[in-house]
Amino acid sequence: MKTKDSFTPWVWLDEYRGTYFNGEWPTLPEMFEINAKRYSKEKCFECFDPKHISFTYGEALDIVKKIASKLKKNGVKDGDKVAVIGKNSPEWALAYLGVLFADAVVVPLDNSLPFKDVNHLASFAGVEFIFADKDKYEGLETEGSVKYAHKVCLEDIGDDYILNWCSNESVSNEKEPTKFNRNENDIAAILFTSGTTGFPKGVTLTHKNFVSDCYLAQANMNIYHTDTFYAILPIHHAYTMLAVFIEAISVGAAIVFGKRLAVQSLLSDLKRGNVTMFLAVPMLFNKFIAGVRKNIDAKGKVVQTIMYSLINLSARIKKRTGKNIGRVLFKSVLKKLSMDKIRICISGGGPLPESTFHDFNALGIDFVQGYGMTETSPILTLNPTYDYVESSVGKVIAGTELKIVDPDSDGNGVIYAKGPMVMSGYYNNPDATKEVLTPDGWICTGDVGHLDERNYLYLTGRAKNIIVTEGGKNVFPEEIEDAFQLCTDIEQILVTGYSANKERKVEGIRAIIKPTKECEEREGSIVKIKAKLESIVEEVNKRLPSYKRITKVDVTDEKMPTSSTMKIKRFEVAKKIDDKNEQ
């Protein structure tokens, strides 16, 4: 039976209003301090690789305050930008919170970026102080003109609960709440989108953006301080930052940090950490289900028939009655996957096959998916575990409005969103901000879809140009196209997505290339022309991150149509090539 409180699970904050915070929502530091008071001796951050490290909320708060004190003594002032770059770890989380406790703005950066891009983004954001993993710490400033006033190695935080970097710092552990100079409407973080090779777009998110989104999402899903979240996806990304890191500390739950996206390491972490909340991208969940089905198929026709019948029966019973018989029927399967302790799995960051959604629920795990974007902190919709729709990316969360602009005859149009989680704008980029934010606070997501009568969202298209890979990475075609600008054998190039696997909704990256006349005359046959262009693509691929690499090349002998500003008409060209390939 659903109660009113199940739809407003943040009402307990009222007990701390007026003492720990004064606004509509607490800031991130205020939220963390409240839960450190509530659950001081409970586990907060933990990791097992390369060695076991664990902090309680009380211990974490003490270290965070020391970091903040040291930052201030080193000259960090209110609103200064401090970067944090590193692999998922308790030290990353402590540094992130320490920056906010110092009344500064945190700039999380992608640890996989080359040094020149790290320095480029840090310079653009005005960063003078940076926390970095050892592999990045030792190479910073080697490329680019940026010079950091202070650098701190993340590995210096936390050994045996001792801060090597600020071991001499002392903080008062008075019972009175800490007094902060920043309020909920101040910027908490600047998150950079994937488009980093050109002019950077830094999404500025306030404390209110993060905190409101985190609690409002809980109206669609109950989480508890007894839960343990698993942070395996890169934590600098908005998805993991909000849906794992911030959601966990908002209720006093624990976080297990995974450093390696390897199956055996992942399974070990899930088991040792007694993980109950597992958030990932479709690629990971597809691999789990593929493994289950492979094992079933290897047992012969009779076992196959029985197992798949039970899976389908379990799914129907759960959907119609809410009874979760799969956890009993498939207990041994879940244990083998180290998922027997997991309450909820959430998929985000990319399109999910309905079959994967179906199979996880049938196996006994509450499995749902959500939707959002960095510019909305990111959660906009989330499937309630008690009322999920496998073909939907979720129900609009509390306090949020979605509208469909210019819908077609099927009701599909561009999705606009409004709510307290919508960004304040792009950092130092008013023109880009005006392109997506309306004067009355609506943001254009660039995605296409429709809403049903119950406010569930269904996606039928993606952002105009962005390609979303199976791993949940957003790839900007322009970035890849720029790498071919100096190639004398290419007259035009269009990078776009293509359906690499229709059943699993997997999208690959394709290049449509119009060779120069010189290339055509020199190489002669179409076979040789394509071979030459593929060799060029192969060389460029070597310089790109793996998730941005082109996996398919189509050659056209026709000049691609362009707009008045000489931009290739993407959808028109892609459709024409697709139609030609299907003939």
Side-chain angles (χ1 to χ4, degrees):
M1 184 75 176
K2 297 187 285 288
T3 65
K4 182 179 179 182
D5 277 356
S6 70
F7 292 95
T8 55
W10 54 87
V11 293
W12 63 268
L13 286 171
D14 289 340
E15 180 184 343
Y16 299 89
R17 197 184 308 275
T19 52
Y20 278 79
F21 72 102
N22 295 309
E24 180 185 5
W25 299 98
T27 62
L28 287 167
E30 288 166 342
M31 183 183 76
F32 185 76
E33 191 166 36
I34 288 169
N35 283 303
K37 172 183 171 63
R38 298 170 79 203
Y39 305 110
S40 175
K41 298 188 183 302
E42 299 294 325
K43 191 175 294 182
C44 182
F45 303 139
E46 185 172 33
C47 74
F48 302 104
D49 183 17
K51 61 181 178 181
H52 184 209
I53 300 174
S54 181
F55 299 93
T56 65
Y57 268 87
E59 291 165 342
L61 178 62
D62 182 60
I63 293 175
V64 164
K65 286 185 174 182
K66 287 180 177 179
I67 293 172
S69 176
K70 185 73 171 184
L71 284 170
K72 288 183 175 182
K73 286 185 178 179
N74 276 272
V76 172
K77 302 180 293 299
D78 295 359
D80 279 358
K81 316 300 188 303
V82 180
V84 179
I85 181 169
K87 294 179 287 293
N88 293 6
S89 67
E91 293 88 350
W92 187 100
L94 293 168
Y96 182 103
L97 289 169
V99 172
L100 297 176
F101 267 70
D103 295 312
V105 175
V106 65
V107 182
L109 297 175
D110 186 347
N111 192 56
S112 68
L113 290 174
F115 290 115
K116 63 181 180 63
D117 288 345
V118 172
N119 291 330
H120 172 59
L121 295 180
S123 176
F124 174 72
V127 168
E128 292 188 355
F129 204 119
I130 188 167
F131 290 88
D133 269 357
K134 189 174 292 183
D135 60 343
K136 277 289 188 293
Y137 175 83
E138 294 171 351
L140 286 171
E141 301 175 335
T142 57
E143 295 186 48
S145 58
V146 65
K147 295 295 180 185
Y148 300 98
H150 300 281
K151 295 189 298 179
V152 180
C153 184
L154 280 172
E155 279 82 353
D156 283 345
I157 302 173
D159 284 358
D160 299 322
Y161 314 125
I162 296 172
L163 283 162
N164 297 326
W165 175 57
C166 54
S167 57
N168 294 324
E169 291 298 307
S170 62
V171 295
S172 60
N173 285 310
E174 72 280 357
K175 294 182 179 180
E176 290 297 315
T178 307
K179 300 300 180 185
F180 298 102
N181 296 326
R182 309 282 282 173
N183 64 55
E184 62 182 314
N185 294 311
D186 287 324
I187 296 173
I190 300 173
L191 308 186
F192 283 100
T193 57
S194 299
T196 57
T197 58
F199 194 79
K201 289 168 68 177
V203 178
T204 56
L205 296 173
T206 65
H207 290 274
K208 183 177 182 178
N209 289 152
F210 282 126
V211 175
S212 66
D213 196 40
C214 139
Y215 285 118
L216 292 171
Q218 291 174 32
N220 286 15
M221 180 179 298
N222 288 324
I223 58 175
Y224 310 100
H225 84 274
T226 51
D227 277 318
T228 298
F229 286 72
Y230 187 43
I232 185 60
L233 301 176
I235 200 168
H236 76 277
H237 191 277
Y239 176 30
T240 309
M241 188 183 301
L242 189 287
V244 177
F245 177 49
I246 294 174
E247 285 287 3
I249 63 175
S250 78
V251 297
I255 306 172
V256 171
F257 293 88
K259 292 189 176 183
R260 292 186 298 146
L261 199 58
V263 173
Q264 290 307 314
S265 178
L266 188 153
L267 295 179
S268 175
D269 284 347
L270 293 179
K271 184 175 182 179
R272 293 182 67 184
N274 292 313
V275 172
T276 63
M277 301 289 293
F278 183 21
L279 288 79
V281 291
M283 178 180 64
L284 269 179
F285 292 124
N286 289 338
K287 283 185 176 181
F288 273 96
I289 289 301
V292 171
R293 286 185 169 267
K294 184 178 179 181
N295 286 335
I296 292 174
D297 293 344
K299 297 183 184 297
K301 273 287 185 187
V302 174
V303 174
Q304 280 181 44
T305 302
I306 294 172
M307 289 296 288
Y308 287 132
S309 295
L310 288 174
I311 285 173
N312 291 329
L313 175 65
S314 174
R316 287 197 299 272
I317 290 174
K318 184 176 183 184
K319 183 62 180 170
R320 293 176 183 175
T321 70
K323 296 186 183 299
N324 194 356
I325 67 170
R327 190 164 285 276
V328 176
L329 286 176
F330 305 108
K331 184 178 180 180
S332 61
V333 175
L334 294 176
K335 194 164 186 178
K336 188 174 182 180
L337 293 173
S338 299
M339 286 188 163
D340 49 313
K341 300 290 178 61
I342 290 177
R343 282 201 314 117
I344 298 173
C345 283
I346 302 176
S347 179
L352 178 80
E354 289 180 37
S355 59
T356 299
F357 199 144
H358 169 276
D359 286 357
F360 266 100
N361 275 295
L363 291 174
I365 291 176
D366 286 336
F367 188 96
V368 297
Q369 62 177 325
Y371 164 76
M373 57 193 298
T374 303
E375 288 86 343
T376 60
S377 303
I379 304 174
L380 290 172
T381 69
L382 187 63
N383 263 284
T385 54
Y386 53 83
D387 192 14
Y388 58 89
V389 178
E390 291 171 355
S391 57
S392 169
V393 291
K395 186 176 184 179
V396 179
I397 66 172
T400 307
E401 296 177 76
L402 293 189
K403 67 179 180 180
I404 307 300
V405 175
D406 297 328
D408 60 18
S409 58
D410 295 321
N412 293 311
V414 179
I415 302 162
Y416 279 68
K418 188 176 185 179
M421 70 291 298
V422 173
M423 70 170 183
S424 53
Y426 293 115
Y427 183 72
N428 281 354
N429 197 336
D431 290 339
T433 300
K434 287 178 183 177
E435 288 179 7
V436 297
L437 280 178
T438 66
D440 57 348
W442 288 91
I443 186 168
C444 175
T445 69
D447 290 325
V448 176
H450 65 272
L451 290 162
D452 68 13
E453 66 281 357
R454 296 199 301 151
N455 231 16
Y456 281 74
L457 180 66
Y458 301 79
L459 294 181
T460 54
R462 216 164 337 286
K464 186 176 180 181
N465 295 339
I466 294 174
I467 303 164
V468 181
T469 69
E470 186 183 22
K473 288 280 192 179
N474 286 348
V475 177
F476 285 76
E478 294 88 348
E479 288 186 297
I480 303 174
E481 290 163 3
D482 285 346
F484 292 88
Q485 280 190 8
L486 300 179
C487 180
T488 56
D489 286 326
I490 293 177
E491 181 179 339
Q492 291 176 302
I493 182 167
L494 174 68
V495 173
T496 183
Y498 73 99
S499 179
N501 186 312
K502 290 184 179 180
E503 182 181 341
R504 292 173 55 206
K505 300 181 182 178
V506 174
E507 195 169 33
I509 300 173
R510 158 180 72 176
I512 301 171
I513 302 175
K514 165 69 172 71
T516 60
K517 186 177 180 180
E518 291 77 10
C519 177
E520 291 175 336
E521 291 176 348
R522 184 183 67 247
E523 300 300 330
S525 70
I526 185 64
V527 174
K528 290 184 177 180
I529 292 170
K530 187 170 184 180
K532 176 61 178 177
L533 296 177
E534 285 179 337
S535 69
I536 293 170
V537 168
E538 185 177 346
E539 286 303 309
V540 171
N541 273 345
K542 292 176 182 178
R543 306 197 300 268
L544 295 172
S546 58
Y547 68 90
K548 291 184 180 179
R549 289 172 187 164
I550 296 166
T551 55
K552 183 180 181 182
V553 176
D554 283 317
V555 180
T556 178
D557 58 359
E558 297 178 6
K559 187 164 184 175
M560 292 181 247
T562 59
S563 67
S564 58
T565 57
M566 302 307 294
K567 292 180 181 177
I568 295 173
K569 295 181 179 179
R570 292 180 176 276
F571 296 120
E572 181 180 328
V573 172
K575 186 177 186 307
K576 187 174 182 179
I577 295 295
D578 287 338
D579 291 343
K580 184 178 179 181
N581 288 339
E582 289 177 4
Q583 291 176 357

